[in-house]
Amino acid sequence: MGPGITGILKDHADQPIGGGKVLACMATLCLFGDAEPDGSFFFPIEPTAEVALKTLPDPTATPRKSAALCPVRIVDSSLIDVGSLHVPSLPDGALLGPAAQDPQSLMAGDGVVLTLRVADLTPYLGDTLVDVAARRIPPSQACPSVVPEGEALVAVYALHPFATVSSSPIAVRAPSDLPAGTKVRFRTISEIDGAFSEPVPGEADGTSVATAPQVGISELTWLVISKE
């Protein structure tokens, strides 16, 4: 194999997904492929490239499926093996209320609270806004590049509805046992090219981590919480 990306598509129970759709998206194009019966896949991509390696969400499945997402940077002719690309399941989440109730603080799942304005949300083309949900990803099921270089991973979550954007900041609170006063950073991963968003400052209080007042994330994709 030449330069590019390889890996194995798996579900949340760590089982291979034969025939599953995988996408390798860059700023100007997306490559589509089907995983082999054993879940393996390969995309030939010439350097240099910034790639969002992902799957498409399936909110109609039982259980609901979020999108897999892994940021990949191709800088030379080496073959990048991401290992396993896991497709997360989603909890039931919390129903969005009418815009008259904005701002709304919603228990999205796995202890995550999102405070947002429904009137400021724009869903991905063709999607409908019904609920928000969050699934914590076990570190063993997140690709190594999911945390920025030089930082330590605190937690990573798949958020639903995937690729929804907000014109106002979405405040985040998530469970954590970090000591009170520990500074953390919140980022999301672009589903277009895998780029990290600008870091949003936050802090731990001993039982949770939360974004600082008046700031927050602007997109529901994968949420990465990290510290130095």
Side-chain angles (χ1 to χ4, degrees):
M1 291 183 181
I5 305 171
T6 188
I8 299 176
L9 184 64
K10 293 185 177 181
D11 62 19
H12 67 280
D14 208 36
Q15 296 301 306
I17 304 176
K21 298 286 185 184
V22 186
L23 293 76
C25 291
M26 292 155 275
T28 57
L29 79 159
C30 276
L31 304 178
F32 292 76
D34 294 330
E36 299 294 331
D38 63 356
S40 62
F41 60 84
F42 167 67
F43 289 100
I45 302 175
E46 294 293 329
T48 57
E50 297 186 353
V51 183
L53 183 66
K54 64 181 183 178
T55 61
L56 297 176
D58 186 358
T60 65
T62 304
R64 298 190 300 174
K65 296 178 182 179
S66 181
L69 186 57
C70 177
V72 181
R73 302 292 175 266
I74 301 175
V75 298
D76 56 34
S77 59
S78 300
L79 177 65
I80 297 176
D81 188 346
V82 300
S84 298
L85 181 68
H86 283 88
V87 177
S89 64
L90 283 172
D92 290 338
L95 294 176
L96 293 163
Q101 296 178 5
D102 289 346
Q104 303 177 34
S105 292
L106 302 170
M107 294 290 297
D110 288 350
V112 172
V113 179
L114 301 177
T115 301
L116 49 76
R117 293 182 176 273
V118 171
D120 295 342
L121 298 180
T122 301
Y124 188 76
L125 185 64
D127 288 351
T128 302
L129 295 174
V130 177
D131 70 306
V132 293
R135 171 64 77 204
R136 185 163 186 168
I137 308 298
S140 62
Q141 294 190 3
C143 67
S145 55
V146 78
V147 62
E149 187 174 353
E151 299 185 22
L153 182 65
V154 174
V156 57
Y157 295 87
L159 302 179
H160 166 84
F162 189 74
T164 291
V165 297
S166 176
S167 59
S168 60
I170 299 174
V172 181
R173 180 175 294 277
S176 172
D177 58 3
L178 287 175
T182 302
K183 302 298 184 183
V184 297
R185 295 168 178 169
F186 294 76
R187 293 181 177 89
T188 54
I189 300 172
S190 169
E191 55 92 20
I192 296 174
D193 62 3
F196 288 105
S197 67
E198 289 298 316
V200 176
E203 188 172 319
D205 63 9
T207 60
S208 64
V209 289
T211 50
Q214 310 304 317
V215 297
I217 62 175
S218 61
E219 186 174 24
L220 301 181
T221 55
W222 275 38
L223 169 68
V224 179
I225 307 172
S226 62
K227 64 183 182 69
E228 291 186 344

